Amino acid sequence: MNCNQDTLSSLAQCAYRIRRYALRMGEVQGQGYVGQALGYADVLAVAYGHAMKFRAEDPDWSDRDRFLLSHGHYAIANYAAMIEAGIIPETELETYGSDDSRLPMSGMATYTPGMEISGGSLGQGLPIAVGIALGLRHQKSPAFVYNSMSDGELDEGSVWEAAMSAAHHGLGNLICMVDINNQQADGPSTAVLGFEPLADKWAAFGWHVQRVDGNHLPAVLRAFDTARALPDAKPRVILCDTLMGKGVPFLESREKNHFIRVDPPEWKLALDILDANQP
């Protein structure tokens, strides 16, 4: 699919609905990782609405592309994308984080259709992705493996061991997306452990690297299309600079928005702001 206006318009609507679903789930509990969901919605819209091959009615289809949510606390964002994709019924969002729900607050493969791994212990998604990509290559499968991770995970040595391994094995079927929002539980990611120059680091490990504004849909779309179309056997990484709380200014400006608690009247205000700026 080309990067044309119809495609961009459709994906903008998709990202808007992902943000809205995430806010509605957050309202169920009155709190959650809503800032990440709002900031990462454009990336997920392109992943689920454009790039990935899957069958909503058959999440275990053998030829599907695999999406691994390494940063399991982003589950609210992933659920919103899977609701938009038709994998999870919209009615289930009202159960988010509740007892016996298929939508727990951290992503768990045993609970949720379409969730490939139980993430949340940071730094484990990419090593698992390397193993899956190797297995698919041995099976001569055309499927891609998408590993989604956060900048906080860059603190983990296992990420860099996996990065080196992926390049050594020439895993051209592996695409990693890193959400760079410079926020983690202990403060700004770059203050906890500096990771720049990040693009140079990934390139030195043997990866094809793109760095984009993760809230600019045309750039995200081109990055995914480029990553899929590369002819060489290098693994590919898309570094996505995003803004926590994107689309809701009073959440964007919060000093600490890694885990957001929102007063009851503010949920409606946030939804009203999104609706007023609907693309």
Side-chain angles (χ1 to χ4, degrees):
M1 189 180 296
N2 295 324
C3 183
N4 57 42
Q5 196 54 49
D6 287 343
T7 301
L8 290 172
S9 177
S10 173
L11 290 174
Q13 287 286 335
C14 179
Y16 155 73
R17 287 189 293 268
I18 288 172
R19 290 186 168 97
R20 209 175 191 288
Y21 291 139
L23 283 172
R24 289 173 59 195
M25 280 185 278
E27 187 176 11
V28 172
Q29 294 294 332
Q31 59 187 5
Y33 296 97
V34 176
Q36 290 89 334
L38 295 172
Y40 205 50
D42 299 296
V43 177
L44 290 171
V46 175
Y48 278 88
H50 173 79
M52 287 171 47
K53 295 183 304 179
F54 61 90
R55 292 177 178 172
E57 73 283 3
D58 183 13
D60 296 324
W61 175 47
S62 60
D63 288 337
R64 72 191 181 281
D65 290 335
R66 272 69 168 175
F67 185 92
L68 276 58
L69 190 74
S70 182
H71 41 178
H73 60 293
Y74 277 52
I76 190 171
N78 206 172
Y79 300 152
M82 290 195 289
I83 291 170
E84 172 66 12
I87 299 169
I88 297 171
E90 182 181 349
T91 52
E92 289 197 37
L93 68 79
E94 300 293 342
T95 73
Y96 170 71
S98 302
D99 291 345
D100 299 321
S101 172
R102 296 201 300 176
L103 310 181
M105 291 189 74
S106 189
M108 299 180 70
T110 53
Y111 282 75
T112 313
M115 191 69 69
E116 299 284 353
I117 64 170
S118 296
S121 184
L122 297 185
Q124 297 193 17
L126 190 57
I128 297 170
V130 168
I132 294 175
L134 275 170
L136 289 172
R137 189 172 70 184
H138 285 312
Q139 295 171 5
K140 302 189 184 321
S141 169
F144 279 90
V145 180
Y146 293 85
N147 179 72
S148 183
M149 58 179 282
S150 62
D151 56 4
E153 291 187 73
L154 299 171
D155 299 353
E156 302 288 348
S158 56
V159 168
W160 299 105
E161 292 175 45
M164 185 164 57
S165 178
H168 172 77
H169 291 291
L171 296 180
N173 58 344
L174 174 57
I175 300 173
C176 183
M177 299 90 70
V178 185
D179 183 22
I180 306 170
N181 54 35
N182 198 31
Q183 183 67 260
Q184 57 190 90
D186 294 329
S189 301
T190 48
V192 174
L193 188 62
F195 50 68
E196 299 291 358
L198 191 54
D200 291 344
K201 283 188 172 71
W202 282 93
F205 273 73
W207 288 59
H208 180 276
V209 185
Q210 300 177 82
R211 188 162 190 169
V212 300
D213 178 347
N215 296 129
H216 186 242
L217 273 173
V220 177
L221 181 58
R222 283 192 296 269
F224 271 81
D225 283 350
T226 297
R228 290 183 62 92
L230 288 169
D232 58 34
K234 284 185 175 182
R236 304 99 199 268
V237 63
I238 306 172
L239 306 174
C240 304
D241 292 288
T242 66
L243 176 63
M244 297 272 279
K246 178 68 176 177
V248 182
F250 73 86
L251 295 179
E252 293 175 2
S253 61
R254 290 198 177 182
E255 183 179 358
K256 293 185 178 181
N257 51 13
H258 179 73
F259 185 86
I260 290 179
R261 291 177 176 84
V262 179
D263 293 334
E266 290 183 317
W267 291 107
K268 183 179 185 306
L269 175 60
L271 287 167
D272 287 345
I273 291 171
L274 269 187
D275 292 344
N277 294 285
Q278 178 180 355

